[in-house]
Amino acid sequence: MSAVPVASVVSAPRAVVPAPAGPGTAPILGCPGEAEAHQVRSFTRSLNRSRQSLTRADRPRTFVLGGREWDLLDAVFAPVYSPSTGVGLDFLGLNDPRPADTDSREAAVTTAFAPDVSGRRGSFLEIGCGTGVIAVTAALAAHGPVVACDISPQAVENTVRNAERHGVQDRLRAVCGDLFGGLDDGERFDTVFWSSNYVLGPADYVYESVHERAYVDTGYQAHRRYLEEAPRRTTASGAALLHFSSRGDVALLHRIAAESGRELRTLAACLVQEGEYGNDLVEHLLFQILPAPRSRRA
């Protein structure tokens, strides 16, 4: 897949503020100051959000996202309390199946995942599938075959249920494993995608539950492994993608990428007002992971 320009992704009902075009990590006008940014990136705050989302009295058994109804099992990441799943659908062009206006900046990302002349969009791997919304929607949008992987057995079961609910169980396989641990050695995909646990936690923090892994990455150990391995899991013309946000440490992510012989290219960015557990203005980013130029690896 060829790289595409940075685009602003706008999708109601999320309060999305357009982001300026251009790569890099420069701050965006309207982003929070240092004190606010520290609060947004707080790992203890994110862990509290993880725990609250499991025990809320209003936690539903089913929810609607992307115009479809989905099952939500206990102990699985709940997309109703975070905009990240919906933003991921936007970034991948899966929220609106209609043909895009290819002259618009907003269409730049969606056209990169447009079907070929046969209507096929190529194979798709989602890491950290959770309820399976993105993987199932990809299967419904003519990606195939689709593999959905999660470290949580409950999330794998949830994905299977939603695949059956929407009739794509014949072209979607859900596996349990840590990142790529549930895959066969030779499996390669046209698109590899992870909407990551981008909040940085201390390297010595011990998770109290599998659910906490959906929110926090200790020492960015999982991100380092994903940056190293994801490009090796793509086909020759495939793309390894990472959905990140300003709740994480973007500068550190770029340093880890460089240490791993990788380069991050920004494909899309948007600002989202996240109001479920506060009033945070968060920048969401879609990166493509590429080999670093040889001059930078020397």
Side-chain angles (χ1 to χ4, degrees):
M1 186 191 78
S2 59
V4 295
V6 177
S8 301
V9 180
V10 180
S11 177
R14 287 178 298 280
V16 180
V17 182
T25 60
I28 290 177
L29 184 65
C31 281
E34 187 57 38
E36 293 85 354
H38 178 76
Q39 180 175 332
V40 166
R41 294 195 297 265
S42 167
F43 90 96
T44 56
R45 189 163 173 251
S46 289
L47 290 176
N48 286 334
R49 292 170 62 214
S50 165
R51 294 159 189 156
Q52 290 174 36
S53 73
L54 291 176
T55 58
R56 288 177 56 147
D58 62 348
R59 182 180 170 94
R61 292 293 182 183
T62 63
F63 63 96
V64 174
L65 184 61
R68 298 182 176 94
E69 188 173 43
W70 308 90
D71 289 316
L72 174 62
L73 300 185
D74 294 338
V76 177
F77 178 85
V80 291
Y81 303 136
S82 169
S84 59
T85 302
V87 172
L89 290 171
D90 285 339
F91 279 161
L92 295 170
L94 296 174
N95 248 335
D96 187 355
R98 296 170 299 176
D101 173 7
T102 56
D103 291 330
S104 69
R105 283 181 54 225
E106 288 77 8
V109 176
T110 60
T111 53
F113 301 99
D116 60 22
V117 292
S118 67
R120 182 177 177 271
R121 290 177 183 260
S123 55
F124 185 94
L125 169 66
E126 183 185 14
I127 298 297
C129 56
T131 56
V133 169
I134 289 177
V136 170
T137 305
L140 288 168
H143 282 281
V146 174
V147 176
C149 185
D150 203 290
I151 195 172
S152 163
Q154 294 93 336
V156 172
E157 180 186 352
N158 206 152
T159 296
V160 170
R161 288 198 187 187
N162 280 321
E164 293 171 347
R165 172 189 274 272
H166 294 288
V168 295
Q169 66 271 24
D170 61 330
R171 53 189 183 276
L172 185 151
R173 183 173 107 250
V175 299
C176 189
D178 186 3
L179 290 182
F180 303 95
L183 303 177
D184 295 334
D185 289 341
E187 287 189 273
R188 300 292 183 270
F189 301 87
D190 296 308
T191 301
V192 175
F193 175 77
W194 182 29
S195 184
S196 75
N197 52 348
Y198 30 68
V199 176
L200 175 64
D204 60 354
Y205 176 77
V206 178
Y207 293 109
E208 295 183 6
S209 68
V210 174
H211 189 265
E212 289 186 348
R213 293 176 180 268
Y215 286 78
V216 171
D217 182 13
T218 55
Y220 276 176
Q221 298 171 69
H223 283 81
R224 184 179 294 275
R225 289 165 51 209
Y226 184 81
L227 291 172
E228 291 173 351
E229 187 166 353
R232 297 199 294 266
R233 287 289 182 171
T234 65
T235 59
S237 59
L241 305 176
L242 175 66
H243 173 192
F244 201 74
S245 92
S246 58
R247 289 193 183 279
D249 191 328
V250 178
L252 177 57
L253 184 72
H254 277 273
R255 290 200 296 273
I256 293 173
E259 292 168 3
S260 303
R262 308 296 187 207
E263 180 180 68
L264 299 178
R265 179 174 296 170
T266 307
L267 299 186
C270 67
L271 290 175
V272 182
Q273 198 77 47
E274 300 186 6
E276 189 65 41
Y277 293 101
N279 190 30
D280 301 330
L281 185 61
V282 178
E283 183 183 19
H284 287 257
L285 300 155
L286 180 66
F287 292 120
Q288 183 177 1
I289 305 166
L290 301 167
R294 290 186 179 275
S295 59
R296 297 187 189 178
R297 287 185 254 173

mmCIF file of all heavy atoms in Angstrom, residues 5-7 99-112:
data_model
loop_
_atom_site.group_PDB
_atom_site.id
_atom_site.type_symbol
_atom_site.label_atom_id
_atom_site.label_comp_id
_atom_site.label_asym_id
_atom_site.label_seq_id
_atom_site.Cartn_x
_atom_site.Cartn_y
_atom_site.Cartn_z
ATOM 1 N N PRO A 5 -1.445 11.056 2.166
ATOM 2 C CA PRO A 5 -1.239 12.269 2.942
ATOM 3 C C PRO A 5 -1.967 12.224 4.272
ATOM 4 O O PRO A 5 -2.915 11.477 4.459
ATOM 5 C CB PRO A 5 -1.832 13.370 2.036
ATOM 6 C CG PRO A 5 -1.983 12.753 0.698
ATOM 7 C CD PRO A 5 -2.149 11.287 0.913
ATOM 8 N N VAL A 6 -1.519 13.070 5.209
ATOM 9 C CA VAL A 6 -2.216 13.212 6.467
ATOM 10 C C VAL A 6 -3.604 13.768 6.202
ATOM 11 O O VAL A 6 -3.783 14.684 5.416
ATOM 12 C CB VAL A 6 -1.449 14.166 7.404
ATOM 13 C CG1 VAL A 6 -2.214 14.372 8.690
ATOM 14 C CG2 VAL A 6 -0.069 13.615 7.691
ATOM 15 N N ALA A 7 -4.613 13.202 6.855
ATOM 16 C CA ALA A 7 -5.979 13.663 6.669
ATOM 17 C C ALA A 7 -6.646 13.877 8.004
ATOM 18 O O ALA A 7 -6.308 13.243 8.990
ATOM 19 C CB ALA A 7 -6.784 12.636 5.857
ATOM 20 N N PRO A 99 -18.663 4.997 -1.695
ATOM 21 C CA PRO A 99 -17.456 5.416 -2.432
ATOM 22 C C PRO A 99 -17.019 6.802 -1.988
ATOM 23 O O PRO A 99 -17.831 7.702 -1.801
ATOM 24 C CB PRO A 99 -17.930 5.422 -3.896
ATOM 25 C CG PRO A 99 -19.094 4.489 -3.923
ATOM 26 C CD PRO A 99 -19.765 4.637 -2.588
ATOM 27 N N ALA A 100 -15.730 6.967 -1.789
ATOM 28 C CA ALA A 100 -15.203 8.241 -1.316
ATOM 29 C C ALA A 100 -14.987 9.206 -2.464
ATOM 30 O O ALA A 100 -14.743 8.824 -3.600
ATOM 31 C CB ALA A 100 -13.878 8.009 -0.581
ATOM 32 N N ASP A 101 -15.086 10.508 -2.154
ATOM 33 C CA ASP A 101 -14.715 11.554 -3.091
ATOM 34 C C ASP A 101 -13.195 11.646 -3.078
ATOM 35 O O ASP A 101 -12.596 12.167 -2.144
ATOM 36 C CB ASP A 101 -15.338 12.882 -2.649
ATOM 37 C CG ASP A 101 -14.851 14.057 -3.480
ATOM 38 O OD1 ASP A 101 -14.132 13.828 -4.475
ATOM 39 O OD2 ASP A 101 -15.183 15.205 -3.131
ATOM 40 N N THR A 102 -12.568 11.102 -4.087
ATOM 41 C CA THR A 102 -11.108 10.964 -4.064
ATOM 42 C C THR A 102 -10.376 12.287 -4.190
ATOM 43 O O THR A 102 -9.164 12.325 -4.050
ATOM 44 C CB THR A 102 -10.648 10.029 -5.194
ATOM 45 O OG1 THR A 102 -11.134 10.522 -6.450
ATOM 46 C CG2 THR A 102 -11.174 8.621 -4.969
ATOM 47 N N ASP A 103 -11.104 13.397 -4.417
ATOM 48 C CA ASP A 103 -10.452 14.694 -4.482
ATOM 49 C C ASP A 103 -10.339 15.351 -3.112
ATOM 50 O O ASP A 103 -9.682 16.376 -2.961
ATOM 51 C CB ASP A 103 -11.219 15.637 -5.424
ATOM 52 C CG ASP A 103 -11.113 15.193 -6.870
ATOM 53 O OD1 ASP A 103 -10.084 14.586 -7.222
ATOM 54 O OD2 ASP A 103 -12.056 15.444 -7.645
ATOM 55 N N SER A 104 -10.994 14.791 -2.093
ATOM 56 C CA SER A 104 -11.002 15.432 -0.786
ATOM 57 C C SER A 104 -9.894 14.887 0.093
ATOM 58 O O SER A 104 -9.492 13.737 -0.014
ATOM 59 C CB SER A 104 -12.352 15.207 -0.092
ATOM 60 O OG SER A 104 -12.503 13.851 0.269
ATOM 61 N N ARG A 105 -9.385 15.735 1.008
ATOM 62 C CA ARG A 105 -8.373 15.288 1.960
ATOM 63 C C ARG A 105 -8.941 14.226 2.882
ATOM 64 O O ARG A 105 -8.257 13.295 3.274
ATOM 65 C CB ARG A 105 -7.881 16.472 2.796
ATOM 66 C CG ARG A 105 -6.913 17.384 2.073
ATOM 67 C CD ARG A 105 -6.461 18.517 2.981
ATOM 68 N NE ARG A 105 -5.927 17.986 4.214
ATOM 69 C CZ ARG A 105 -6.241 18.486 5.412
ATOM 70 N NH1 ARG A 105 -7.086 19.473 5.524
ATOM 71 N NH2 ARG A 105 -5.704 17.966 6.497
ATOM 72 N N GLU A 106 -10.231 14.352 3.240
ATOM 73 C CA GLU A 106 -10.847 13.383 4.139
ATOM 74 C C GLU A 106 -10.876 11.995 3.511
ATOM 75 O O GLU A 106 -10.940 10.982 4.204
ATOM 76 C CB GLU A 106 -12.274 13.819 4.496
ATOM 77 C CG GLU A 106 -12.339 15.017 5.453
ATOM 78 C CD GLU A 106 -12.067 16.334 4.772
ATOM 79 O OE1 GLU A 106 -11.968 16.352 3.521
ATOM 80 O OE2 GLU A 106 -11.934 17.354 5.474
ATOM 81 N N ALA A 107 -10.834 11.929 2.180
ATOM 82 C CA ALA A 107 -10.891 10.634 1.498
ATOM 83 C C ALA A 107 -9.527 9.994 1.342
ATOM 84 O O ALA A 107 -9.424 8.849 0.933
ATOM 85 C CB ALA A 107 -11.509 10.816 0.110
ATOM 86 N N ALA A 108 -8.469 10.722 1.699
ATOM 87 C CA ALA A 108 -7.123 10.230 1.420
ATOM 88 C C ALA A 108 -6.838 8.890 2.070
ATOM 89 O O ALA A 108 -6.204 8.019 1.487
ATOM 90 C CB ALA A 108 -6.088 11.265 1.895
ATOM 91 N N VAL A 109 -7.297 8.728 3.315
ATOM 92 C CA VAL A 109 -7.039 7.476 4.006
ATOM 93 C C VAL A 109 -7.957 6.386 3.496
ATOM 94 O O VAL A 109 -7.531 5.270 3.216
ATOM 95 C CB VAL A 109 -7.213 7.654 5.528
ATOM 96 C CG1 VAL A 109 -7.045 6.313 6.241
ATOM 97 C CG2 VAL A 109 -6.180 8.638 6.051
ATOM 98 N N THR A 110 -9.251 6.685 3.345
ATOM 99 C CA THR A 110 -10.204 5.645 2.960
ATOM 100 C C THR A 110 -9.894 5.080 1.579
ATOM 101 O O THR A 110 -10.078 3.885 1.341
ATOM 102 C CB THR A 110 -11.642 6.186 2.975
ATOM 103 O OG1 THR A 110 -11.764 7.270 2.056
ATOM 104 C CG2 THR A 110 -12.021 6.671 4.354
ATOM 105 N N THR A 111 -9.405 5.896 0.652
ATOM 106 C CA THR A 111 -9.106 5.379 -0.677
ATOM 107 C C THR A 111 -7.897 4.456 -0.657
ATOM 108 O O THR A 111 -7.746 3.607 -1.527
ATOM 109 C CB THR A 111 -8.846 6.522 -1.673
ATOM 110 O OG1 THR A 111 -7.834 7.393 -1.141
ATOM 111 C CG2 THR A 111 -10.104 7.317 -1.927
ATOM 112 N N ALA A 112 -7.029 4.590 0.345
ATOM 113 C CA ALA A 112 -5.890 3.683 0.454
ATOM 114 C C ALA A 112 -6.335 2.262 0.758
ATOM 115 O O ALA A 112 -5.605 1.314 0.493
ATOM 116 C CB ALA A 112 -4.938 4.172 1.553
#
